[in-house]
Amino acid sequence: MSYSGPTELYIDGEWTSAEDKKTIETLDPATEEVYATVAKADEKDVEHAVSAAKRAVDRDSEWRQLAPGERAEYVREFSAALDSMRDEIVLTESHDNGKTPFEAQIDVETAINTFEYYAGWADKIEGETIPVPGDRLDYTRREPIGVTGHVVPWNYPFQLAGRSLAPALACGNSLVVKPSSTTPLTALYYAKAAEEADLPDGVINVIPGSGSDAGAALASHPDVDHIAFTGSTGVGKGVMESAADNITGITLELGGKGPNIVFEDADIEAAARGVHNGIFMNAGQMCWAGSRLLVHEDIHDEVLDLVATRAEQTPLGSGIDDDARMGPVVSESQRKEILEYIEIGKEEGGTLVTGGSIPSEKDRGYFVEPTVFTDVTNDMTIAREEIFGPVLSVITFEDEEEAIEIANDSPYGLLAGVWTSDLTRAHTVAEYLDYGMVSVNEYPVTFPQTPFGGYKESGYGREQGREAINEYTQVKNINVNLS
Ligand code: NAP
Ligand code: MG
């Protein structure tokens, strides 16, 4: 199927080719064929986009002069415009990323809900009055930061872009978005929505381009006032360093190695469903994947059997297949890396229970079988490193204390799952886990209303919820001498 959506950069309210006329060819991972060709921004285009954004958020600009309620109305219209393109975006995402339409539909829905949620915030961003000594009035204002830069990965191209764009927009900033060059298409629908909702020029700019070129130029630009980066921990460290040169604020959403801890008193069927979902959704290409199953030794065989059977029954298929529940991984290089990890798992003594190969019935598309290893110890490579594919490592524990110890023995700390019917245990274990998010008896789950982010090397700052309002505004304190 051919692509007929937007293919140009969107800068200062205009669709334009890259200044050097460079382009990106993006593949459909299910067919391994070129799906679309889009303009490819480089440093010069970043310059244009940032200066347009800077003008758009100038103190006297139309955008900054809006009453908060009027800004809320813009965000609502923006959200409605996205909603009207929903089916087209789902189809595009499925072809560009490889995820099934079933999954893409959830992503698009979540993103639209996020804009609706933050539209509600736009006129509720309040300051405080502070009791100070003497005859004074002291208060704070929460003001927009200015230009926010958004660097987005390929695993949830539309949803993760929306997650940081929505609060940044609602807080009155102007935005420059750089999607991954592997999946550049759906971010351009945010530009289309900006056009439909008649946002002032320069408030949203979308510039597909490569990370090392356009991404690095955006992250190090002195006129960018906040960077929202979602991606790998390695690249995130580099973004943090370049932000330091300009004292630019950052939000980092990085990798994970999520433990799903299943206690002997859990609802085993529900846990097996959650564990399966937590590692095979999006073909395991999730920062918050539950890639380690920590299971009590007494129920290991039972849980493993349920999870492995589900894994074997997962319908694999492409973006045109409505029944598919797991698509291909995003690229050939990604698949190669996953298969290498599977070899390492075998070499280091993991027992392959199911999967481990390219499915024999798929002669096209970057498919990998849902894979489960058991007899894994937490020092093995497949238990420590983020594989970013459909590979589950099963580790047993003897008691609560050991479960917590194994779970916390990781450089990452994004999302952890706890499966138990004991209320006291649920809360106690949740408190002891060094994770930014803990979910009890379901996995994975998040909402626009709840803070998303990680401890340790999983990130810095928080997206979503009220927390993100703090990320995308800055505080001004005003003191008035009344005497
Ligand atoms: P990545 O290589 O770090 O890329 C992420 C984004 O950064 C892409 O847009 C990429 O552009 C860009 N980029 C690459 N090099 C850059 C540089 N030097 N300066 C500025 N930007 C640069 O990560 P990925 O492989 O796409 O995504 C997978 C990773 O993202 C995993 O580690 C996963 O855990 C993490 N992730 C985290 C979350 C979360 O919320 N915590 C969510 C999803 C994914 P190009 O793609 O064009 O190179
Ligand atoms: Mg693609």
Side-chain angles (χ1 to χ4, degrees):
M1 191 181 294
S2 64
Y3 172 73
S4 57
T7 57
E8 294 190 295
L9 313 180
Y10 189 72
I11 298 175
D12 208 8
E14 302 278 345
W15 295 97
T16 169
S17 54
E19 191 169 313
D20 281 354
K21 312 286 176 215
K22 288 186 210 157
T23 55
I24 303 169
E25 286 187 333
T26 179
L27 301 184
D28 181 336
T31 62
E32 306 183 21
E33 283 164 13
V34 174
Y35 181 59
T37 303
V38 302
K40 180 184 188 188
D42 69 10
E43 203 178 333
K44 293 190 279 298
D45 305 293
V46 170
E47 195 58 50
H48 297 321
V50 172
S51 60
K54 194 167 153 57
R55 284 192 298 279
V57 79
D58 184 84
R59 197 67 196 80
D60 296 322
S61 67
E62 186 188 346
W63 186 233
R64 280 296 292 278
Q65 292 291 328
L66 290 176
E70 292 171 322
R71 200 166 67 232
E73 194 50 38
Y74 267 115
V75 183
R76 257 178 231 117
E77 280 179 24
F78 184 86
S79 177
L82 293 175
D83 204 5
S84 72
M85 298 183 281
R86 179 190 285 254
D87 295 345
E88 200 179 328
I89 302 171
V90 168
L91 198 70
T92 303
E93 192 76 320
S94 181
H95 283 289
D96 200 14
N97 165 278
K99 66 179 70 202
T100 61
F102 173 80
E103 293 166 313
Q105 185 266 331
I106 297 170
D107 295 3
V108 174
E109 171 94 27
T110 304
I112 294 170
N113 289 345
T114 305
F115 279 92
E116 281 166 10
Y117 169 74
Y118 281 107
W121 264 108
D123 61 356
K124 297 168 193 70
I125 302 171
E126 299 172 348
E128 296 171 324
T129 56
I130 302 172
V132 295
D135 194 8
R136 296 184 178 88
L137 170 66
D138 195 290
Y139 64 97
T140 60
R141 287 170 49 85
R142 282 211 162 263
E143 302 185 338
I145 309 173
V147 177
T148 57
H150 305 255
V151 180
V152 186
W154 48 257
N155 61 336
Y156 287 86
F158 189 72
Q159 196 231 311
L160 291 181
R163 184 177 70 178
S164 70
L165 295 183
L169 189 66
C171 290
N173 301 287
S174 61
L175 289 44
V176 180
V177 193
K178 193 217 74 78
S180 168
S181 50
T182 308
T183 53
L185 298 178
T186 51
L188 293 167
Y189 283 86
Y190 288 118
K192 271 190 93 170
E195 205 176 26
E196 292 264 304
D198 211 16
L199 281 179
D201 294 346
V203 169
I204 293 189
N205 307 274
V206 186
I207 49 167
S210 87
S212 53
D213 185 348
L218 184 62
S220 60
H221 200 294
D223 289 336
V224 172
D225 303 296
H226 184 95
I227 287 282
F229 173 84
T230 307
S232 59
T233 298
V235 175
K237 283 181 186 168
V239 167
M240 200 169 188
E241 277 169 26
S242 58
D245 286 338
N246 303 311
I247 318 290
T248 300
I250 46 169
T251 323
L252 298 175
E253 296 288 358
L254 308 174
K257 195 74 197 175
N260 246 319
I261 311 173
V262 184
F263 287 101
E264 64 282 14
D265 56 23
D267 174 341
I268 308 273
E269 293 271 344
R273 275 197 305 277
V275 168
H276 174 273
N277 205 28
I279 184 62
F280 299 124
M281 197 165 89
N282 217 40
Q285 303 163 113
M286 300 183 284
C287 53
W288 66 351
S291 49
R292 292 183 295 158
L293 164 59
L294 312 189
V295 61
H296 189 273
E297 55 189 9
D298 290 352
I299 53 166
H300 167 270
D301 295 356
E302 195 183 345
V303 175
L304 183 64
D305 189 47
L306 287 170
V307 172
T309 305
R310 279 191 159 265
E312 283 156 14
Q313 290 169 351
T314 309
L316 304 190
S318 74
I320 49 167
D321 184 353
D322 279 344
D323 297 326
R325 287 297 176 271
M326 193 175 111
V329 298
V330 77
S331 65
E332 178 136 43
S333 62
Q334 186 67 16
R335 177 163 73 179
K336 187 164 168 280
E337 215 171 292
I338 295 164
L339 294 173
E340 279 167 13
Y341 271 116
I342 291 172
E343 285 314 307
I344 294 171
K346 289 190 225 164
E347 281 160 22
E348 292 187 357
T351 304
L352 188 62
V353 180
T354 186
S357 313
I358 295 171
S360 54
E361 75 277 13
K362 296 281 179 207
D363 54 1
R364 258 182 357 154
Y366 308 121
F367 289 91
V368 180
E369 289 174 329
T371 299
V372 179
F373 275 103
T374 192
D375 299 325
V376 178
T377 53
N378 203 44
D379 56 351
M380 290 182 192
T381 308
I382 56 169
R384 302 213 73 77
E385 295 182 15
E386 185 180 46
I387 300 176
F388 228 58
V391 183
L392 178 68
S393 297
V394 183
I395 303 172
T396 55
F397 63 84
E398 279 176 22
D399 56 22
E400 202 172 290
E401 199 184 331
E402 191 188 15
I404 293 168
E405 191 184 307
I406 299 172
N408 287 343
D409 177 17
S410 170
Y412 295 112
L414 196 54
L415 171 65
V418 179
W419 298 85
T420 178
S421 55
D422 179 336
L423 200 59
T424 305
R425 168 176 270 170
H427 291 287
T428 310
V429 174
E431 189 179 332
Y432 276 86
L433 289 170
D434 295 332
Y435 283 76
M437 298 176 284
V438 176
S439 182
V440 179
N441 293 339
E442 60 177 333
Y443 196 104
V445 69
T446 187
F447 303 94
Q449 295 85 349
T450 59
F452 191 108
Y455 284 11
K456 302 199 276 188
E457 290 189 20
S458 287
Y460 180 79
R462 292 291 179 275
E463 297 290 357
Q464 299 183 168
R466 178 196 294 265
E467 299 286 337
I469 298 294
N470 296 342
E471 299 278 344
Y472 294 101
T473 53
Q474 54 190 344
V475 181
K476 181 180 283 176
N477 180 251
I478 299 172
N479 175 65
V480 184
N481 180 357
L482 299 175
S483 64

